[in-house]
Amino acid sequence: MDRFGHYGWPFFEERHGKLAREVEQWAGENLAHAHGEDADAICRRLVQDLGCAGYLRHCVADKPDVRSIALVREVLAYHAGLADFAFVMQGLGSGPIVLAGSEALKKQYLHKAATGDAIAAFALSEPEAGSDVQAMTTTARRQGESWLLNGTKTWISNGGIADFYVVFAKIEEGISAFVVDAKEVDASERIDIVAPHPMAVLRLENAKGQLLGEPGQGFKLAMRNLDIFRTTVAAAALGFARRALAEALERARSRKIFGQALSEFQMTQAKLADMATQIEAGALLTYRSAWARDVKAHRVTREAAMAKMFATEAAQLIIDAAVQICGGLGVMRGHPVERLYREVRALRIYEGATEVQKLIIARELLRK
Ligand SMILES: Cc1cc2nc3c(=O)[nH]c(=O)nc-3n(C[C@H](O)[C@H](O)[C@H](O)COP(=O)(O)OP(=O)(O)OC[C@H]3O[C@@H](n4cnc5c(N)ncnc54)[C@H](O)[C@@H]3O)c2cc1C
């Protein structure tokens, strides 16, 4: 089955459709437990399940294939936001090790991350340094073979359940990346957000870390990592949006008001048409970006920014329209569109807010 109707697009090879169909079936059979109050326990289990099923190796891969990561995210997000979250955080948190780690670091962390035996996290943001990464104040100083890190990170996804963190800190040469084991950090202050997932403030007091890549190259490394994963945020937004459209279609067909189905009113049809068109446009941008990264093998700063901005903004509008079509049911706690309404919001903020994506696109346009 090609639920989303795009596996045959020229951006994909046969293996992509095969993977997406397989994940689709797996998700249908395995994600009943992926919703609920205890996000920590759910995510721990999801990481293990996704590792056992062999899917984590797509985002913890020597040569990441962005189309595969994006398709898996789209399918998982359609079924359960936490499954998408658990999947991608393994990639985001271990991506810098894949890109710049020594053989020893790779050996120490990557296999476990790919099998789901170790949970990864990516710690860049700080209380006073979110969009403005250069404002970071966390520092590292050398002590023998290792480094000691001091500072505070915040909004750290998987904070509190991660086994290791890739942490960015300043040294004389500039921002640098370090791998820090969970036992070195205080992640006891947890953050509760609108669609809860494991998240914490990270306090580092002489936390021992191993340098990752070249000194002073941490910012570039973070951006190279985001170059891979930013496109896939758009894919997650697509998964959410497609689910919202499916729920809206179902409700519009079955709900009778004023003597006819809600779907027979032209105002409803106009909403559905807009929703479907925005999804297709978002999918084209998303998979164009993924294909360019995989096949053309060049940086996709502009393409990824356009995909992320468009698909996440569109998903917000699409999900809002689905809530409207569902009426009271749409805001009832636990209804799929109510969940989507909460889950989609953060996507317009993290990995570069929409305003930051606009700056990136304009900078690329104005570049001589
Ligand atoms: C759910 C979630 C998960 C996250 N996970 C992680 C994680 O795992 N690791 C990590 O390091 N960080 C993570 N973050 C942090 C995230 O990357 C930051 O929230 C993001 O970079 C924005 O930073 P800020 O929250 O400090 O907002 P600020 O930098 O204070 O920006 C506030 C707002 O200002 C606007 N803005 C930004 N720049 C401009 C501009 N140039 N012109 C005009 N307006 C502008 C945007 O609308 C933005 O939302 C996560 C955040 C969320 C919400």
Side-chain angles (χ1 to χ4, degrees), residues 122 124-125 130-131 155-157 197 199 346 349-350 353 355-356 359:
F122 178 85
L124 182 66
S125 306
S131 307
W155 310 116
I156 306 310
S157 297
H197 70 225
M199 178 176 261
I349 297 171
Y350 64 62
E355 290 79 358
V356 172
L359 292 179

Side-chain angles (χ1 to χ4, degrees), residues 85 89 92 121-133 153-158 193 197 199 346-356 359:
F85 167 81
M89 280 313 302
L92 196 67
F122 178 85
L124 182 66
S125 306
E126 298 185 2
E128 301 303 326
S131 307
D132 182 6
V133 175
K153 297 286 175 183
T154 191
W155 310 116
I156 306 310
S157 297
N158 274 345
I193 54 172
H197 70 225
M199 178 176 261
L347 275 61
R348 291 165 55 208
I349 297 171
Y350 64 62
E351 291 189 40
T354 291
E355 290 79 358
V356 172
L359 292 179

Side-chain angles (χ1 to χ4, degrees), residues 39 193 228 253 255 312 321 339:
I193 54 172
I228 297 168
R253 284 196 189 103
R255 175 66 168 165
T312 59
R339 203 183 62 230

